Amino acid sequence: MSTSKAALKAAKLALDSQKYDEAAREATKVLDGDPGNYHANVFLGRALDKQDKNDEAERAYSVAVNTKGNDPLVWQGLVAIYEKQAGKKIDQYHSAALHLAECFMTIDDRTRCQNVVDRYVGFAKQHGTRSQYKHALEMMLPTSPLYDYLEGRFPSPAYTYTKIVEIVEAEERERTNKEIGERRTRLGAKIGQVTTEVKREVLEGSNLESLYSCIIDWTSDDDLRRFYEEKVLQRAYDTLAVLPAQRKDEKRAQVTKLAEGLIILKHPFPLAWSITLEWKDAESIEAWDAGLLRDYTQLFPEDGLSKVIKGYMCSEISPFPSTLKDEAKDDEDEDTSLMTAEGRLLLMTEGAEESSRSIMSQRLMAEYYLYLDEYASAVESAKKAKELIGLETQLSGLRFRDNLDAVDVTLATALIHLQSPRNHPEARSLFESILEGKPMNTSALIGIGLILEEEEDYEQASDFLAKASERSFDVKVKAEYAWCKAMNNDLENGFKELETCLLDLEKSDIKTKALKSQTLYRIGICLWNLDTSRPARKDRGGAYARFLASLQANLNYAPPYTSLGIYYADYAKDKKRARKCFQKAFELSSSEVEAAERLARAFADQREWDLVEVVAQRVVDSGKVRPPPGSKKKALSWPFAALGVCQLNNQDYAQSIVSFQSALRISPNDYQSWVGLGESYHNSGRYITATKAFEQAQKIEANTNHSHSDNAWFSKYMLANVRRELGDFEEAALSYKDVLMMRPTEFGVTIALLQTYVESACRSIELGYFGQAASSAAKAIAVAGDVVKHRPDAFNLWKALGDACACFSWIQAYLDSFPVDDVRNILEYEKTSDTYDQMSDIDEISIAAIEGTFNNEDKPVTVKHCLDAAILAHKRLIYICVHDVHAQAVAWYNLGWTEYRAHTVSTTDVTERAKKHTSRYLKASVRCFKRAIELEAGNSDFWNALGIVTTQLNPRVSQHSFIRSLYLNDKSARVWTNLGTLYLLQNDNQLANEAFTRAQSTDPEYTQAWLGQGLLALLVGEVKEARSLFAHAMEISDASSTITKHLYASSTFDGLLSQNTSDSIADLLQPSFALRQLDSQVKAGPVFQHLQALLSERLGTSADAMESLTSVCAAVEEDYEQTESPLSLARFAQAKADLARAQLAAGDFPAAAASAETALDLSADDPHPSSSRHKFRLSAHLTAGLAHHSNATDPAIAMFHAALAETASNPDVVCLLAQVLWAKGGPAARTVAREQLLDTVEHNPAHAGAITLLGAIALLDDDAATAAAVAADLHDLRTRPDLDAQSQTKIGRLLTALAGNLSDEQHRESALRAQATTAVMLAPARPYGWEQLAALTGEGHPMEMALLTAGGSVPPRGGLGAEELGRAFAGTGRGADAQRAVMVAPWVAAGWEGLG
């Protein structure tokens, strides 16, 4: 014990001497023997503290605290340690400071106790977090054990609570923002939902409300108390907003109680007043406390809701006592403007805009707007109120059933009158939902009754209004009930009750005057319908007097005007007054559809379509045309039909279609609407739909007992127009004829029939139906003969006649169909001496043409007859339209084109035309186009025409004309092409190419642009490109283009000659057809007739070739007789040589020999031989030889020898000679044939014809050595890529025969199969090898392959003939294929054998 004391004493001395290590050792010695020694632990802790061993010192002090916890010394040591560590152990500091303060409190040392607390709070504020500082402040609150001891020394609790509140508010803000920022980035998070969840978590876990309450309890400052009372309410309101619906009741009760407390104190906190006013659920505004409303307006005079309340309380519909109204007025600072209706409405409107989130504001505005009959504004405000009620229900959890019903009543009542009856379904739905919860709600009963009354369901309306009248003393309800009775065929009782209601009405009230006017009108209607006799209705003391009285009561009530209008129109026969009444009625109310209809009909009769459109559009906009679903009221179709007619007249076809469709949805059997719809479709280019519409109109007309018989012709006429636009000219003509049978004098229909025939003729020419074109043109002339007798001055008559006559110039093969007599009669009808004098001094065509050319019946009809008639018709057209500048310009333009057509037809040869002077037709056409331009210089077509006719006369003028035309319309491909042609003629290829390219880009379907590019390609040597361009132009062109056929046929034939392959039928057909059409259109001339003959020869139509070549020979012979030109003689010789071939192919051997010999004789002494002469002489030699071979072999051999001499032993000629020699049959001749062939093969080892002939001769002679040599050569020859299919097949057949002949019986079959297999391997896509293989094996697969390959080798994909295809079908062994074989090639026996 003494040792311990000594050690403690030593430790104490060491501490005093600041020997802390020694002090620690001495204290440790004591603790080794007594661990719980209090002083030793204190000394140790102090020594360690001085050595900055804080943790060890804290442990030593903690042991000492456990030993003697009420000693301030140890707690002071701990406080010192914690202070040294700044903010690391503030929480431990709090406990130590509290215990130290309690120790000082125990020893009653207030100063030191307060110092400990103050020092700790200051330390926590400086070094701690907000939470630690808040915890430190709690030490000075009334809840602290030190508060009672140090009361008066601590700050006011309100001050301390305020500091804590500031800290908590800052912490909550930080936490809220942090959580929202973190959660909003999660997948699928929504910012609104995230914000609500975070706020709910923060608000529910916070004690801020209790802190606010503590401040309120402890503060002595009333302003501060009110401030925190506001905060408590706001806090509770915010919490209520984020709580789930099932947990809102308790919090809502708290919010309500807090708000009511502030209201009692009349504290101007807007939220409290808003909660009290907005959360009140009442069906009537009267349920609100007037004093409360008054207080609100006084506390918040500039608030929006306050302004609305002020205006409403001063209004006529305010439910509050008049004293309150007067007081409200007195408090307006003597602002008399608010006492007027205008000022009140202005005030309330301004307030409503400022308080757009207030339920009460929107509800009051909706009711006031309804009172003012501002139904659109009432609907808008009521809908806003409903939306706000929904939001407030979601926030507060209150259902607001009465509020919602009241707003729904206002909304539904406004909807009844707003654009009635468009909104009736919605209004009725609202009323019915109210009646489900409140079956006897008077407003809802009245509302449904009014809706049913508007829908003319008076029986049900009476039931509802009867229930409403039992609960209401309103005269209006009783009057409506009486009116429904009257309309429900109870006129007498309805009339009596209306009279009773009239007695109850007061005259002073504006609303009463309006109701009185309505009641008087309804009484008048009852009188009007009680006695429908004419005298009764004409009686001015009956219904008429009531209508006038109604207007005296209210001049702005529309229905009486309508009834007076009917009275004046139907009974007083005063149309002027009637129209004024209808105008006034419709001006006042667009719901007066009867007045609108009569007014529209009156305007339509006067053709005032703009006014008709205004009336009809207003009726449509009124919503009266379509009653709501379930209504007994009939829909109105006439407004849409009237709109359609007006829009049709204004050429607004898209809108007219919509209007007529709307009319037909209402009245599907409206004949006139179907006709109007069809006409709209027709004018907008939708012809198929127009056809259906007119056909439907005709069905309706046929099924309605001809109720529209007077107008039935119009639908037929319009249907004919549509068919004409669709190109169905035959049906259109039949329809026009049907109309003319109904209305023979209808000039427009006759002209339409005439134009139909002309258009049919033009279209038939484009399609290549030239016979049909001639027939249509003749019919047009016949119709023109009928028209001229009734309207000889009709513009379209002479235009159509000229076009019909000109059509024959494009189909000259049908000139015999031109009705000369009919044309002459038409032209002579009512003619005068100057009728046809225009341009007669230039083109020399006047009345003398009629008297001369047309009266000469001996001469056949020529193209001159047609064009002269066309020119005279267009001159007559100019004569009759002398007073119409535009028509005259068009007439000169048409005459110019006809003159130019006559010029082009009269000059058939381009080279000759270049040498001649300009024809009189060309000069006339130039004058005509210039005259047209003088009359209408802004027409691009006129300038284009002038450019065309001056192309060779004056290229500068032509270029200027084309450029001027492009200036007026640069999108014309025709003009660009014409300009390119001009440049081409002037040898400017670059500009020509640019112009043609621009034309192609403008209109890729314009043929002449492609022709121009083709000609350019020819000029630069791109023959293949030119041929491709001409072919494309032929594909896209119509049949009227002759130059397209010229260029296409010639380029195609040149291409066939340049290709060293056999001619394909597909390649020959189209140019042949083109030349045939060309021959039908114009006199093609010997060149193209010769070309046609060559194509026919290649197609195998020898008769056509003979006919063409005979005509060519005659034409060239006639030309030679006139000119004796060597060129003509050479052409004649070539034509004779070609004719000889055609005659040989036709089997006319003597004629063929004669023609060939004639060609040889005529070309024998040509001083300038050419390659073409060499070719046709060779042809003539061979033809003559073959022709003689049929009768005598010697002349044939002589011809072949002559051919050999001229061709230097041509291999083909040698082959023909060998065949003839072999056919002669003599040993010597056959020997010569072998020698000739051997010599040919020696000099031409690759000539397939010579080798195959030699092989055939070796087979016939049974010459194995020669056969083997030929077989070897044929094996090498058959792999050549340039060998055609026919030659390959021929070689294959010969090799098969050679293999069978050279092989013995044992190996023959394998040799034949090897040949067939080789043929398949070399040409798997050709049928020959497969047929051979099938014949040898008897298997079905090779035959199927043979049929498949044969089908793929027929034209246009190959050159396989009908015989080969027939054999392929017959080889399958199936009966169906045998039938196909017979159908494909009936002359092949294999097909018939398969059938047998």
Side-chain angles (χ1 to χ4, degrees), residues 134-246:
K134 179 187 70 174
H135 192 38
L137 289 173
E138 289 174 355
M139 193 177 291
M140 294 188 292
L141 292 176
T143 56
S144 171
L146 303 176
Y147 182 79
D148 292 338
Y149 180 69
L150 296 177
E151 185 175 6
R153 290 177 176 266
F154 281 164
S156 168
Y159 173 80
T160 306
Y161 276 121
T162 301
K163 292 290 185 181
I164 294 174
V165 163
E166 291 175 356
I167 295 172
V168 173
E169 287 177 343
E171 288 178 342
E172 287 188 0
R173 281 194 300 271
E174 288 184 2
R175 180 187 172 189
T176 301
N177 294 334
K178 179 182 178 182
E179 290 294 328
I180 292 174
E182 290 177 354
R183 298 186 189 183
R184 67 182 298 179
T185 58
R186 296 176 183 174
L187 188 63
K190 297 180 181 179
I191 184 61
Q193 182 179 358
V194 167
T195 303
T196 301
E197 291 176 354
V198 171
K199 285 185 176 181
R200 184 188 305 128
E201 293 175 5
V202 172
L203 292 173
E204 286 184 331
S206 173
N207 65 337
L208 203 53
E209 282 189 39
S210 61
L211 292 174
Y212 290 154
S213 300
C214 291
I215 295 175
I216 294 170
D217 294 340
W218 284 97
T219 186
S220 58
D221 186 348
D222 289 339
D223 293 337
L224 185 62
R225 184 179 293 109
R226 297 289 91 79
F227 175 75
Y228 279 100
E229 284 176 349
E230 292 177 5
K231 284 209 166 193
V232 170
L233 177 57
Q234 186 68 56
R235 182 75 173 187
Y237 184 81
D238 292 342
T239 306
L240 176 66
V242 297
L243 286 176
Q246 62 273 18

Side-chain angles (χ1 to χ4, degrees), residues 63-109:
V63 174
V65 165
N66 293 331
T67 304
K68 190 176 181 181
N70 56 354
D71 187 359
L73 182 62
V74 64
W75 292 110
Q76 286 176 337
L78 283 172
V79 165
I81 291 174
Y82 294 145
E83 284 182 351
K84 285 174 59 179
Q85 299 182 56
K88 290 181 63 176
K89 293 193 175 184
I90 292 181
D91 293 334
Q92 292 86 340
Y93 188 2
H94 178 86
S95 177
L98 180 61
H99 282 88
L100 179 59
E102 288 177 345
C103 290
F104 288 137
M105 181 179 67
T106 302
I107 61 176
D108 194 21
D109 190 345

Side-chain angles (χ1 to χ4, degrees), residues 90 135 142 357 409 586 624 1066 1145 1290 1383:
I90 292 181
H135 192 38
R357 307 295 298 173
V409 166
F586 190 61
K624 293 288 184 180
K1290 188 184 296 184
M1383 182 190 69

Side-chain angles (χ1 to χ4, degrees), residues 1249-1291:
I1251 296 174
T1252 52
L1253 276 177
L1254 194 60
I1257 291 174
L1259 279 174
L1260 293 174
D1261 290 344
D1262 199 16
D1263 186 353
T1266 304
V1270 169
D1273 289 342
L1274 290 176
H1275 278 298
D1276 296 335
L1277 187 65
R1278 72 189 304 186
T1279 59
R1280 280 171 47 188
D1282 59 337
L1283 206 63
D1284 58 23
Q1286 187 177 3
S1287 298
Q1288 284 187 348
T1289 302
K1290 188 184 296 184
I1291 291 172

Side-chain angles (χ1 to χ4, degrees), residues 557-632:
Y557 188 47
Y561 287 105
T562 302
S563 298
L564 286 173
I566 295 172
Y567 171 83
Y568 288 127
D570 297 345
Y571 298 96
K573 301 302 180 184
D574 189 344
K575 292 185 178 180
K576 186 175 181 180
R577 284 190 177 182
R579 181 168 177 175
K580 287 183 178 180
C581 288
F582 290 139
Q583 284 180 330
K584 185 64 176 177
F586 190 61
E587 178 184 342
L588 291 172
S589 174
S590 59
S591 299
E592 294 302 308
V593 293
E594 176 70 20
E597 183 175 5
R598 289 177 177 252
L599 199 58
R601 291 185 184 278
F603 288 142
D605 292 339
Q606 298 175 4
R607 307 193 69 81
E608 297 179 359
W609 298 113
D610 291 341
L611 297 177
V612 174
E613 184 175 9
V614 170
V615 171
Q617 187 62 56
R618 191 174 177 210
V619 174
V620 171
D621 294 339
S622 71
K624 293 288 184 180
V625 291
R626 288 194 181 95
S631 173
K632 294 183 179 181

Side-chain angles (χ1 to χ4, degrees), residues 952-964:
Q952 290 186 338
L953 293 176
N954 192 332
R956 291 186 177 182
V957 173
S958 178
Q959 182 184 25
H960 170 74
S961 300
F962 289 139
I963 292 174
R964 182 64 180 174

Side-chain angles (χ1 to χ4, degrees), residues 362-426:
Q362 299 302 325
R363 178 177 172 181
L364 293 177
M365 289 304 301
E367 293 188 6
Y368 192 63
Y369 280 135
L370 183 62
Y371 165 75
L372 296 177
D373 295 339
E374 295 289 339
Y375 301 116
S377 299
V379 168
E380 182 181 358
S381 297
K383 286 184 176 180
K384 284 183 181 178
K386 283 192 68 173
E387 182 182 352
L388 293 173
I389 288 174
L391 295 175
E392 199 65 34
T393 298
Q394 184 179 0
L395 184 147
S396 65
L398 293 170
R399 296 184 60 82
F400 298 107
R401 187 63 209 174
D402 291 337
N403 262 354
L404 192 59
D405 287 346
V407 173
D408 281 344
V409 166
T410 304
L411 174 60
T413 305
L415 287 173
I416 292 175
H417 303 284
L418 179 63
Q419 297 182 348
S420 174
R422 179 178 299 176
N423 298 306
H424 283 186
E426 183 181 355

